[in-house]
Amino acid sequence: MMQLVFPEIKLIANKENVGFSKANNQGVAIAKGEYVCILNPDTVVAEHTFTRLLQEIKDLPYSGMLGTQLIDGTGKFLPESKRNIPSPLTAFRRLFGIRLGNVKSYYADHVKVKEIGDIQVLVGAFMFVKRTQYLEVNGFDEDYFMYGEDIDLSYKMLKSGYHNYYVGTIATIHYKGESTARNKEYLERFYGAMQLFYEKHFKSNRIFDTFIFLGIQIISFVKSKLYKERLPKQIDQYFIITNNKILKNKVEKALNEDVVAVETISGLIDRKNKTKQIILDNEYLSFAEIIDTMQKLQDKNTTFKIKPANCNYIIGSNYSDEKGEVIKL
């Protein structure tokens, strides 16, 4: 599909899953641009994101990597957008959910959601960096198959004298659950990656190492047992933001539901009592407007779907830890 729809791109077609780290390193190795962006496939990026980041990375002092504010498919902020290095004590605080004096929390709370600030760790879903700097620190450590490699790369950037920046003035949708369902395999990989990072960078003493190891195993086991598939959300009202009546009729037929068409969000803001789903027409709204709309209307009773331009489907996810759905029109 990629070669058919985008014949101008260079496609690396691995015959087996080599993992997130190695695959991204393969891409950067053949890239020709001065800057590269590590970007997950389950993201929605606004039209002017990269031109704005190009300016920011030139203006910010000693810049290494830049990351944007990430929101999930319901418009909710994802706190992993800005994190601290999980030192042994930070990892302990994170694992067991307790405060430890002046020990930093796992998330970088010193920078507000919509601010630009110097942080330690960015998320691998969105990393914008100068290609020479990426290669200077040898890119992602390929010992990590999936998860943890973003923390490792962020840390290597810091140790090389660069600063990582969170750019909260720019928002990107990261559906997140589309990459991997939150099942036992995911939990084992995630906590296994945390253990690998800890062993590589913070090996201290046998007693504390054993304690962290046991903590990781216990948390992974408990969460895998508690994991349950969610039932689909019940929707009371459907809306579509568009000026296209034909599209509205197609959506009604696909959903087998009545759909109210509106051209602005003013008629939606006060409807908070009932659960509603809002379909956003990308031929009427830009991606920047879609992201802004999702942030403005975000609440526990609202879910979203996007109708991409020139496509015959709507797509979206109701949870940040579940796979979403594609509905053909």
Side-chain angles (χ1 to χ4, degrees):
M1 184 275 288
M2 294 295 290
Q3 287 179 314
L4 181 66
V5 180
F6 306 103
E8 71 279 10
I9 69 168
K10 292 183 179 179
L11 177 66
I12 301 172
N14 289 320
K15 293 185 178 180
E16 61 181 27
N17 186 356
V18 298
F20 185 86
S21 298
K22 186 172 182 178
N24 278 294
N25 287 345
Q26 287 177 316
V28 176
I30 67 167
K32 300 297 183 184
E34 183 179 354
Y35 296 90
V36 295
C37 184
I38 306 300
L39 184 68
N40 274 19
D42 53 351
T43 53
V44 178
V45 181
E47 288 78 5
H48 303 299
T49 292
F50 295 113
T51 53
R52 291 175 63 184
L53 285 176
L54 281 167
Q55 190 58 54
E56 293 290 355
I57 205 167
K58 292 172 185 175
D59 293 342
L60 291 168
Y62 308 105
S63 58
M65 298 190 299
L66 270 60
T68 67
Q69 176 194 161
L70 298 178
I71 62 174
D72 68 14
T74 67
K76 184 179 178 182
F77 171 68
L78 292 170
E80 63 265 28
S81 303
K82 49 186 181 73
R83 293 173 287 172
N84 290 312
I85 294 293
S87 66
L89 289 176
T90 297
F92 184 88
R93 175 177 170 172
R94 167 69 170 160
L95 281 170
F96 297 100
I98 59 175
R99 289 185 172 273
L100 294 170
N102 294 323
V103 175
K104 289 182 177 179
S105 67
Y106 183 71
Y107 300 118
D109 299 328
H110 65 283
V111 179
K112 293 181 180 179
V113 172
K114 294 187 177 181
E115 288 183 345
I116 298 174
D118 192 333
I119 64 166
Q120 293 181 329
V121 176
L122 295 170
V123 65
F126 196 124
M127 289 176 155
F128 189 76
V129 62
K130 205 166 188 176
R131 182 172 175 270
T132 53
Q133 293 174 354
Y134 183 95
L135 296 175
E136 179 187 330
V137 299
N138 297 315
F140 284 124
D141 185 336
E142 295 179 12
D143 286 345
Y144 299 87
F145 182 82
M146 191 173 184
Y147 308 115
E149 68 291 308
D150 49 0
I151 300 175
D152 189 274
L153 180 59
S154 297
Y155 193 44
K156 290 193 293 185
M157 282 285 177
L158 296 178
K159 291 199 293 186
S160 295
Y162 299 113
H163 291 230
N164 299 322
Y165 289 97
Y166 165 77
V167 184
T169 54
I170 301 171
T172 301
I173 302 171
H174 182 208
Y175 285 113
K176 191 176 177 181
E178 293 306 300
S179 296
T180 308
R182 293 327 194 232
N183 52 24
K184 187 174 183 292
E185 182 183 1
Y186 156 78
L187 291 166
E188 287 175 349
R189 281 184 176 174
F190 179 81
Y191 286 105
M194 293 301 97
Q195 185 180 335
L196 177 61
F197 175 80
Y198 176 71
E199 289 174 350
K200 284 197 169 192
H201 297 287
F202 291 101
K203 197 71 176 175
S204 53
N205 65 71
R206 205 169 283 180
I207 295 174
F208 199 73
D209 295 345
T210 302
F211 197 65
I212 291 292
F213 172 78
L214 289 174
I216 288 171
Q217 300 305 312
I218 292 168
I219 297 295
S220 177
F221 176 78
V222 170
K223 287 197 173 184
S224 68
K225 294 300 180 185
L226 293 175
Y227 177 83
K228 292 181 180 179
E229 294 283 347
R230 290 191 181 97
L231 295 173
K233 274 196 174 182
Q234 295 299 312
I235 307 298
D236 295 321
Q237 296 176 313
Y238 289 86
F239 298 89
I240 182 169
I241 302 181
T242 186
N243 61 351
N244 186 335
K245 291 183 179 179
I246 295 175
L247 175 61
K248 180 246 188 190
N249 293 335
K250 284 184 177 180
V251 171
E252 282 187 323
K253 186 176 179 181
L255 296 175
N256 195 27
E257 297 280 357
D258 292 331
V259 178
V260 178
V262 297
E263 295 188 18
T264 67
I265 67 171
S266 59
L268 301 172
I269 294 175
D270 296 329
R271 305 193 188 208
K272 293 185 177 180
N273 295 327
K274 293 185 177 181
T275 58
K276 58 184 178 292
Q277 183 160 107
I278 301 170
I279 295 106
L280 303 149
D281 178 12
N282 181 223
E283 292 184 38
Y284 180 68
L285 302 169
S286 68
F287 281 123
E289 289 171 326
I290 286 173
I291 293 169
D292 183 60
T293 298
M294 288 174 62
Q295 289 180 297
K296 286 179 178 176
L297 298 179
Q298 186 268 321
D299 67 61
K300 65 180 181 180
N301 293 321
T302 304
T303 57
F304 300 91
K305 293 286 187 293
I306 295 175
K307 161 60 175 67
N310 304 314
C311 296
N312 66 336
Y313 57 83
I314 57 176
I315 187 170
S317 182
N318 297 342
Y319 306 100
S320 60
D321 58 354
E322 293 280 358
K323 288 187 176 182
E325 59 181 337
V326 178
I327 299 171
K328 190 174 179 181
L329 301 179

